[in-house]
Amino acid sequence: MSKLVIVGSCAFDAIETPFGKTDKIIGGASPYIGLAAAQFDNVDPAIVAVVGDDFPQEYLDFLAERGINTDGIEVVKGGKTFFWSGKYHNDMNSRDTLATELNVLGDFSPKVPASHKEAPIVMLGNLQPQVQLSVIKQMDVKPKLVILDTMNFWMDIALDELKTTLKKVDVITINDEEARQLSGEYSLVTAAKKIHEMGPKYVVIKKGEHGALIFEGDKMFFAPALPLSDVFDPTGAGDTFAGGFAGYIAQAGDTSFETMKTALIYGSCLASFTVEKFGTERLQSVTPEEIKERLHQFKQLVQFDININD
Ligand code: AMP
């Protein structure tokens, strides 16, 4: 089994899309990442997170039933779980954050379970950059690959800390707008180059319904997103993508650019399920057969023959 450490928020989300509205449902980066990574057979994922005692035990049990180690999920007595609320615009590609209540996440001091301190792959979900760094420091053996996801919120309020953490990171996953904000560059190619200089050898830029790019030095690769007839709620798509990406690399056991390319496709494939229903609902029910079928659709989408006569 290939061990994978996942750190990230565990949350209550209230989401509004043009198709409907939810009350507080289970969300946060780590459940999406964990559920996506748990799709890979020989991967042993552990979530490191914090919740209040308002977080339902059944949901923790559900994650454990999926083969996710939950020993690192701390339950704070009398504490309130992190709450996030967002509203999507009609294009479903952009959203406004209506509320971010850190609650117990504000004092989160992650503890990597002893069973996972030698894990080769570490997936740092979107969180305070200092907290992400503290997870890297707890590893007993230097991981083969540290992947970090972040967002504009941390660039706005903790840019210096983010830059410090990035020095210890191999792969960063961010969306196009955030790549521009972090680098100060409009061109994503130039942005990726500048971000390489901050530490990460690989830069993954997510472009929502327009797919994702990965850069390593002068090499680049593009994975499309599958055009879907039903996009219901994009929340968690980025985290699911990260979980699929990290899960595939953990399963493959190597960190070559070729492996990363396939990982990008797996990430896009799993994310395409998440957006079909509210929250983690679709990811909870997806089957290996459905994933296989969708991988075929991805292949068909981009495969073509062309005769180029030089
Ligand atoms: P995504 O749609 O992939 O960007 O992720 C959405 C998830 O991120 C939601 O379930 C939120 O609970 C979580 N989230 C939103 N803002 C933050 C934040 N500042 N820190 C940690 N997690 C967050």
Side-chain angles (χ1 to χ4, degrees):
M1 292 293 264
S2 183
K3 295 197 175 183
L4 169 66
V5 170
I6 296 162
V7 63
S9 54
C10 224
F12 287 126
D13 288 348
I15 304 160
E16 196 175 331
T17 80
F19 303 107
K21 215 174 155 168
T22 65
D23 244 354
K24 288 185 170 182
I25 58 168
I26 310 279
S30 63
Y32 286 107
I33 298 172
L35 288 169
Q39 294 293 337
F40 297 89
D41 281 344
N42 62 345
V43 176
D44 173 13
I47 289 182
V48 181
V50 66
V51 291
D53 58 9
D54 53 353
F55 198 79
Q57 179 63 38
E58 307 88 78
Y59 198 74
L60 296 176
D61 294 343
F62 166 78
L63 293 174
E65 278 160 24
R66 290 299 161 111
I68 300 168
N69 181 317
T70 56
D71 295 349
I73 305 184
E74 184 191 353
V75 182
V76 177
K77 271 208 169 147
K80 274 178 79 181
T81 299
F82 170 63
F83 172 68
W84 176 80
S85 167
K87 182 177 175 177
Y88 287 86
H89 301 158
N90 280 341
D91 67 359
M92 297 283 263
N93 252 341
S94 52
R95 70 184 177 205
D96 292 327
T97 291
L98 304 179
T100 301
E101 294 171 15
L102 291 179
N103 300 326
V104 291
L105 197 61
D107 304 312
F108 180 31
S109 166
K111 285 165 206 77
V112 177
S115 61
H116 279 70
K117 284 199 170 187
E118 294 185 1
I121 314 286
V122 174
M123 175 69 233
L124 304 169
N126 172 33
L127 266 185
Q128 295 95 319
Q130 323 73 297
V131 175
Q132 293 175 314
L133 184 62
S134 81
V135 170
I136 304 174
K137 287 186 175 159
Q138 285 177 49
M139 301 305 290
D140 284 345
V141 177
K142 190 177 184 297
K144 264 208 227 160
L145 201 75
V146 177
I147 307 160
L148 172 142
D149 188 43
T150 190
M151 72 186 296
N152 52 356
F153 183 75
W154 305 115
M155 294 173 201
D156 292 339
I157 69 162
L159 185 60
D160 288 345
E161 289 89 341
L162 177 61
K163 286 191 172 165
T164 304
T165 304
L166 282 180
K167 292 193 182 118
K168 307 273 181 216
V169 163
D170 303 293
V171 187
I172 181 173
T173 72
I174 41 174
N175 73 29
D176 41 1
E177 225 178 280
E178 291 154 356
R180 291 186 171 116
Q181 178 171 348
L182 184 59
S183 63
E185 295 289 342
Y186 179 78
S187 152
L188 294 180
V189 177
T190 317
K193 283 210 172 95
K194 283 223 168 149
I195 298 170
H196 278 312
E197 287 161 15
M198 297 178 190
K201 187 172 171 208
Y202 303 93
V203 176
V204 174
I205 301 182
K206 302 170 284 182
K207 291 162 65 65
E209 66 168 329
H210 305 298
L213 290 154
I214 183 165
F215 296 86
E216 183 203 5
D218 289 333
K219 286 190 269 189
M220 65 177 158
F221 175 74
F222 171 70
L226 194 68
L228 297 164
S229 43
D230 295 311
V231 176
F232 199 73
D233 168 24
T235 308
D239 302 312
T240 308
F241 172 88
F245 180 81
Y248 179 77
I249 294 170
Q251 175 176 268
D254 88 89
T255 58
S256 66
F257 193 64
E258 285 309 306
T259 296
M260 303 246 170
K261 283 162 66 171
T262 312
L264 215 66
I265 300 287
Y266 267 96
S268 293
C269 175
L270 286 163
S272 75
F273 289 104
T274 291
V275 302
E276 289 180 338
K277 287 195 176 163
F278 266 130
T280 56
E281 199 183 333
R282 185 66 179 97
L283 201 54
Q284 291 185 23
S285 69
V286 69
T287 64
E289 289 68 36
E290 286 175 318
I291 295 172
K292 255 191 216 159
E293 167 61 26
R294 204 154 274 191
L295 287 170
H296 281 298
Q297 289 176 286
F298 268 86
K299 220 171 156 181
Q300 272 165 11
L301 183 69
V302 287
Q303 227 170 24
F304 57 89
D305 282 324
I306 187 167
N307 278 326
I308 302 176
N309 299 315
D310 291 325

